[in-house]
Every structure is written in C-alpha cells, then in structure tokens.
Amino acid sequence: MTPGVLYLLGAPLQLSERFRTKHYTLHRRLGRVLVTAAMISVILAIVFGLRFAWGGTPEAMATAVFGSWFLACLLLAVRAIRRDDMINHRRWMIRSFSLIMAGVMLRVWVPIYDVLAAAGILDFSFETAYAGIAWLCWVPNLLLAIWFTRHRIEVAAAA
C-alpha cells in the first residue's frame, strides 16, 4: 500500500469527531503515522511529477505548487496541534485531506476527457488536457476546503 493511499484511507477516520472523542490516544498515534505517510507521499509526488510530467511545464508547475500546498497544510496542522490549537489543527487537516483527494479527482477528470474527446467535443491532445487536469484535480478541492473551514468556523463562533 502506498503512503498516499494509507493517508487517503485513514484521514476520514481521523476527521470523525466520534472516533476522536472515543479513541483519543489512537487518534494521536494514527495521526503521527498518517502525517508521516503523507510527507512521504508528497515528496514522491513532487519528485515523480517533475520527472515524468506528461503535460509538460504546466503539469510540472501544478505538481510543484500542489506539493508545496500539501506540505504547508501538513506542517501548519502539526504546528497547530503542538500549540494546542485544535480549531486550526482541524482546519489544516481538512485542507490537507482535500489535497490528497487530488489522486481521486485525477481518476475522475481523465475519463471525462476521454469521453469528451471520443465524442468529438474536445479536439486537443491528451498531453494538453493532462496539463489542465493537473490543476483541476486539486485546486477546486483546496478552494472548497478553505471556504468550508472558514465558513463553518465563523458560523460556529457566531452560535
């Protein structure tokens, strides 16, 4: 099992308030394992993404920016929890989870391109499409997570 898949499978459990409350010690231990797996995953994503970019420079840039954001989210989440700042820890972990979903979204966007290209709706190469998909598979996720975490916390603070 790759580190990214481990993080992808374990993160939803970590985000569960019921699990966190009932199994706090396990939450902390699993969190350490998952952050380590995510760090390995992001480093591999950057290295392989830059080395084997099918979409050329735009894809390589998307990979580098994605990796930087993912790494920043993880480090800020760790920093927040070490300061006992649970609200920001949760914010940054939700954002990091939205980024790991890039692998899932990549597998959604590629078949969409294939169907549209086969139907004659799109008339450009897979390499060109992949350069755009490299951005589409993570940017909307991150923007949605940022909106969600800001909006949800503001609503909770107002209540």
Side-chain angles (χ1 to χ4, degrees):
M1 181 180 301
T2 65
V5 173
L6 177 63
Y7 184 77
L8 184 62
L9 294 174
L13 184 62
Q14 291 292 88
L15 294 172
S16 164
E17 189 172 341
R18 181 182 301 173
F19 174 78
R20 201 171 47 253
T21 303
K22 192 172 183 179
H23 306 286
Y24 184 71
T25 301
L26 181 57
H27 170 81
R28 291 182 65 188
R29 289 180 182 156
L30 182 58
R32 288 183 183 108
V33 170
L34 294 179
V35 167
T36 301
M39 295 279 194
I40 293 167
S41 180
V42 73
I43 291 167
L44 291 174
I46 292 170
V47 169
F48 286 106
L50 295 176
R51 176 74 173 100
F52 303 106
W54 291 344
T57 303
E59 181 195 344
M61 288 174 47
T63 301
V65 175
F66 160 79
S68 300
W69 269 101
F70 191 35
L71 194 56
C73 287
L74 288 170
L75 293 174
L76 288 166
V78 169
R79 186 177 112 193
I81 201 61
R82 286 191 174 159
R83 293 179 174 183
D84 288 325
D85 182 355
M86 305 298 181
I87 291 174
N88 279 316
H89 173 69
R90 184 166 173 79
R91 264 188 186 142
W92 288 112
M93 290 311 296
I94 289 169
R95 293 169 186 169
S96 75
F97 181 69
S98 78
L99 288 167
I100 200 68
M101 289 298 291
V104 173
M105 294 309 297
L106 177 73
R107 284 150 185 87
V108 169
W109 283 110
V110 169
I112 289 173
Y113 164 78
D114 289 341
V115 168
L116 294 175
I121 296 169
L122 298 179
D123 188 27
F124 46 84
S125 71
F126 176 74
E127 290 79 15
T128 301
Y130 202 78
I133 290 170
W135 290 95
L136 277 174
C137 70
W138 67 270
V139 172
N141 298 359
L142 180 60
L143 293 175
L144 185 61
I146 290 169
W147 177 84
F148 174 78
T149 54
R150 286 185 177 175
H151 177 73
R152 185 169 179 208
I153 290 170
E154 287 172 7
V155 169

